[in-house]
Amino acid sequence: MIDLHMHSRYSDDGTYTPSELVEQCAAAGIRVMSVTDHNCARANEEAQRAAEEKGIRYIPGIEIDCTFKRVNFHVLGYGIDFRNGDFAAIEKHVADQSARASLERLEKTRALGFTQITEKDLLALSENNYWQKSWTGEMFAEALLAMPGYADHPLLKPYRPGGERSDNPFVNFYWDYYSQGKPCHAETDFPAMEEIIDTVHAGHGVTVLAHPGVNLKGKEELLEDIFKLGIDGIEAFSSYHSPEQAEKFYRAAKVHHVFATCGSDYHGKTKPSIEIGQHGCTEADGEVERALERMGL
């Protein structure tokens, strides 16, 4: 089994250490893995060492926020030289904006009527995180859902047990309120997708468009132009995709002569219904591994 998309505590919304992820992959029967933290390559050294000890093939990775035609996307980089200063610069660029964006999210959350939430509540959740000044939409959900004063708040009802958004309540709250175009979104100056593709390629890595079914929703026509940028692959198989979506993106990869990958986007507590290896890639699993070999990964 292969899983090329998971997050450690070096992501602003990840739960486990890199070594703990490797342990979980070993228990799940994963034979090829990659830790792809948001805008941060720091997990790779520890994960690679731990994977070697477990006999798991490890591919260094990262997931980078970027923009294309004013739409935010995530690009996965594989086979990267994680010690390259370019990735440290990407991390610093995003980190420098995190405190400002987090305070803006807090202000907009309070404007929704959640006036009880304070900086202190968010700092309590982030105090042990690597990204201490980054308060994500998932963290706002965790804090709000735990507040007794909001036990019956109508905006939170869909995310409570039995609600229509309760399968992954924290991350669903993020998509509904903090993602691009939503009421609590805080703009961040992300690099252009073309720049990220060039950066990963300069280090002899390969680029993959992450969970396109999410970021392309309502903007599917952009996919053709993204292929023209020189992206190497597309994450056809994802925990976000229905079987029909996975098939559509898998066929698109074939038509455009790029490779299809599979990743669960496992985070831990922010996505409790998602497990390592949960991406729906079964029959194409061996094909993905052969494609990785052809790409030199």
Side-chain angles (χ1 to χ4, degrees):
M1 188 184 296
I2 299 172
D3 195 337
L4 301 178
H5 191 162
M6 64 188 73
H7 295 270
S8 80
R9 64 176 298 274
Y10 288 106
S11 285
D12 55 9
D13 54 1
T15 303
Y16 300 105
T17 68
S19 295
E20 287 171 336
L21 287 178
V22 171
E23 290 285 347
Q24 292 179 43
C25 283
I30 301 293
R31 65 178 185 276
V32 184
M33 67 173 289
S34 181
V35 177
T36 51
D37 284 316
H38 293 296
N39 308 300
C40 184
R42 294 178 183 269
N44 285 289
E45 186 167 8
E46 178 185 337
Q48 188 172 58
R49 182 172 60 250
E52 288 175 357
E53 293 173 357
K54 291 291 184 180
I56 296 173
R57 180 179 167 195
Y58 185 78
I59 298 174
I62 190 171
E63 183 177 20
I64 304 172
D65 288 85
C66 59
T67 62
F68 179 65
K69 296 189 175 182
R70 300 183 180 180
V71 178
N72 291 347
F73 289 95
H74 295 175
V75 166
L76 296 156
Y78 293 117
I80 62 169
D81 176 4
F82 52 84
R83 298 180 181 88
N84 187 307
D86 289 339
F87 299 108
I90 288 170
E91 178 186 333
K92 184 177 186 304
H93 176 74
V94 175
D96 285 348
Q97 302 177 74
S98 291
R100 187 272 310 162
S102 295
L103 289 173
E104 183 178 342
R105 292 183 195 110
L106 176 59
E107 181 181 341
K108 290 182 175 181
T109 302
R110 290 174 61 84
L112 285 178
F114 296 113
T115 56
Q116 293 180 24
I117 194 167
T118 65
E119 291 183 40
K120 184 178 179 180
D121 297 313
L122 280 307
L123 286 169
L125 287 176
S126 66
E127 64 178 350
N128 295 318
N129 292 2
Y130 177 70
W131 296 76
Q132 292 184 358
K133 295 182 179 181
S134 181
W135 305 335
T136 65
E138 293 92 338
M139 291 175 63
F140 280 96
E142 185 175 0
L144 292 170
L145 287 166
M147 289 182 171
Y150 295 134
D152 298 316
H153 198 290
L155 291 185
L156 297 178
K157 186 177 180 181
Y159 309 94
R160 297 197 182 279
E164 62 267 28
R165 300 289 280 161
S166 63
D167 57 337
N168 286 304
F170 299 164
V171 75
N172 285 339
F173 193 74
Y174 157 74
W175 286 116
D176 294 343
Y177 287 95
Y178 298 86
S179 60
Q180 192 176 26
K182 302 300 183 179
C184 298
H185 178 67
E187 284 293 336
T188 303
D189 177 27
F190 294 128
M193 187 183 292
E194 300 94 317
E195 178 184 340
I196 294 307
I197 291 173
D198 289 344
T199 297
V200 173
H201 284 172
H204 307 290
V206 300
T207 54
V208 171
L209 183 67
H211 41 60
V214 175
N215 299 85
L216 280 170
K217 189 175 182 180
K219 308 174 187 70
E220 288 79 4
E221 70 280 359
L222 293 180
L223 185 57
E224 290 295 319
D225 291 331
I226 290 173
F227 283 127
K228 293 175 184 176
L229 296 180
I231 203 156
D232 303 295
I234 184 170
E235 190 178 49
F237 303 95
S238 167
S239 58
Y240 286 115
H241 294 168
S242 67
E244 293 75 21
Q245 286 177 306
E247 177 67 17
K248 179 182 73 173
F249 292 124
Y250 175 70
R251 294 300 171 194
K254 290 286 191 181
V255 168
H256 290 274
H257 307 289
V258 301
F259 71 104
T261 66
C262 49
S264 64
D265 200 10
Y266 177 72
H267 283 69
K269 71 175 181 179
T270 61
K271 299 181 181 181
S273 72
I274 295 174
E275 300 177 355
I276 280 178
Q278 183 182 330
H279 46 60
C281 181
T282 52
E283 294 180 5
D285 191 272
E287 183 178 331
V288 171
E289 190 165 6
R290 290 190 293 274
L292 293 174
E293 293 171 355
R294 289 196 300 271
M295 297 295 291
L297 300 176

